[in-house]
Amino acid sequence: MTAIAHPNIALVKYWGKRDVARNLPAVPSLSMTLGGWRTRTTVTWGVQRDRFLLDGVVRDDPRVGRFLDHIDADRPPVEVVSDNDFPTGAGLASSASGFAALALAASHAAGRPRSPEATSVLARLGSGSACRSLLGGYVAWPLGTDPEGSDSHAIQIAPASHWDLRMVVAVVDAGPKATGSTEGMERSRRTSPLWSSWVADGPGEVAEASSAIEARDLERLGTVMERSTFRMHATMHTSTPPLLYWLSATVALLHEVFALRARGIGAWATMDAGPQVKVLCEAADAPRIESALAPHALETHVHGPGGPARLQR
Ligand code: DP6
């Protein structure tokens, strides 16, 4: 069974867990699913022994076996063959599209298909942000109230067709990140003095971003996205030891985005747990924004909103 899922970029960030084992978030979040890039994953349920191939290389990632156990604790050995058409593990949301595609392909391969909500819950157990990649367009991930997490799954705010925005992605380093998100979030929760205000602000920021999307108001959406980004990175920077995902090119790109805005071009920046800068803008502005960013980046890409995860027959 084969499934495809797209990465998503958070417009309001998920950073922190209230339940680490279940990946229940400390803050709600909201994202745009990216068209263009994708993870494709094929699952064969019942083989000789567990095997996981990523981009053609056999990997020893204990998260995959543990994830499959959630589908069936008495499962047979399973083969997972996955490939990304974008850099893996560099803060470009490869774990999001990866676990979204795996949740969909594996639950069908096991003969246990689920509702979209339950598939999103399953993907969340692999990686929190993966729950958002099950759906297309503009997607929220609420906190939920069930201690088991059955209601902490993605909800579509608006389909891709609602608003044809662009995310210009400037890749400054394609290597894997120094500190993984799970470890980084726990460090911020335990040590950042900004933690309580970060958690307190989350619900209001998601509400503000949702209404900006509904109204197709890019200035409002860009402002809240940038604010969420800088507040998240402030909790990272004020952790002990500090989490600094930025490189000098990251800072150069941020100044470029601010300079574009000073010239009246609608461009707003976001970064995740990596050095890449992603810029939200109208489709018509994407070419000149890409040209302005290109001198500071290894490569640039432009993506619009994408569709939901789906089976490929
Ligand atoms: C910075 O979903 O990768 O990209 O749940 O521990 O697997 P785990 O973390 P992950 O965290 C992504 C965090 C982020 C912001 C976001 O995507 O909301």
Side-chain angles (χ1 to χ4, degrees):
M1 193 61 73
T2 300
I4 282 183
H6 299 291
N8 69 78
I9 300 296
L11 309 178
V12 177
K13 304 295 181 181
Y14 154 53
W15 191 253
K17 308 183 194 216
R18 65 180 195 275
D19 180 329
V20 174
R22 294 183 176 84
N23 278 342
L24 289 174
V27 286
S29 56
L30 190 149
S31 57
M32 176 172 129
T33 300
L34 292 191
W37 282 335
R38 56 104 190 108
T39 296
R40 185 197 296 121
T41 299
T42 301
V43 175
T44 312
W45 201 261
V47 291
Q48 284 290 326
R49 60 190 163 80
D50 273 359
R51 207 161 94 101
F52 172 44
L53 266 97
L54 178 58
D55 294 331
V57 179
V58 177
R59 314 274 173 149
D60 182 23
D61 187 340
R63 292 185 304 170
V64 174
R66 279 204 304 269
F67 178 79
L68 296 167
D69 295 343
H70 290 301
I71 297 175
D72 181 356
D74 291 323
R75 67 178 175 82
V78 173
E79 184 181 71
V80 175
V81 179
S82 194
D83 71 87
N84 292 328
D85 62 0
F86 58 96
T88 297
L92 288 171
S94 58
S95 70
S97 52
F99 280 106
L102 182 58
L104 189 59
S107 51
H108 280 264
R112 297 182 180 194
R114 300 160 187 239
S115 67
E117 290 79 14
T119 310
S120 174
V121 166
L122 177 62
R124 190 199 75 220
L125 297 173
S127 184
S129 56
C131 76
R132 300 184 310 231
S133 273
L134 262 306
L135 303 181
Y138 301 87
V139 177
W141 173 20
L143 294 169
T145 54
D146 176 14
E148 299 291 319
S150 65
D151 58 353
S152 189
H153 56 74
I155 293 169
Q156 192 181 60
I157 298 288
S161 59
H162 171 73
W163 199 5
D164 192 26
L165 288 178
R166 291 291 179 273
M167 198 63 91
V168 182
V169 181
V171 177
V172 304
D173 186 307
K177 56 188 153 195
T179 309
S181 299
T182 307
E183 186 189 336
M185 287 178 194
E186 276 307 285
R187 192 186 300 173
S188 294
R189 185 184 63 77
R190 283 199 315 271
T191 64
S192 171
L194 305 183
W195 188 252
S196 54
S197 63
W198 164 251
V199 170
D201 288 348
E205 297 294 68
V206 167
E208 168 67 5
S210 302
S211 75
I213 289 169
E214 201 180 322
R216 295 192 190 87
D217 184 335
L218 181 58
E219 180 157 10
R220 266 177 75 197
L221 181 61
T223 301
V224 68
M225 180 189 78
E226 244 181 37
R227 186 165 68 214
S228 174
T229 302
F230 276 85
R231 287 182 185 183
M232 176 180 74
H233 282 272
T235 72
M236 295 166 168
H237 296 170
T238 51
S239 299
T240 307
L243 289 158
L244 181 63
Y245 290 107
W246 300 0
L247 298 174
S248 43
T250 312
V251 178
L253 284 160
L254 287 172
H255 285 294
E256 196 62 58
V257 171
F258 296 161
L260 283 163
R261 255 199 342 261
R263 300 209 308 269
I265 299 167
W268 285 267
T270 187
M271 294 86 67
D272 292 292
Q276 334 305 349
V277 176
K278 301 123 195 178
V279 178
L280 187 67
C281 62
E282 300 281 3
D285 290 329
R288 58 180 164 167
I289 291 170
E290 188 178 24
S291 327
L293 302 185
H296 305 285
L298 294 178
E299 43 187 89
T300 54
H301 305 266
V302 180
H303 294 296
R310 54 205 177 270
L311 290 173
Q312 211 180 36
R313 296 181 197 275

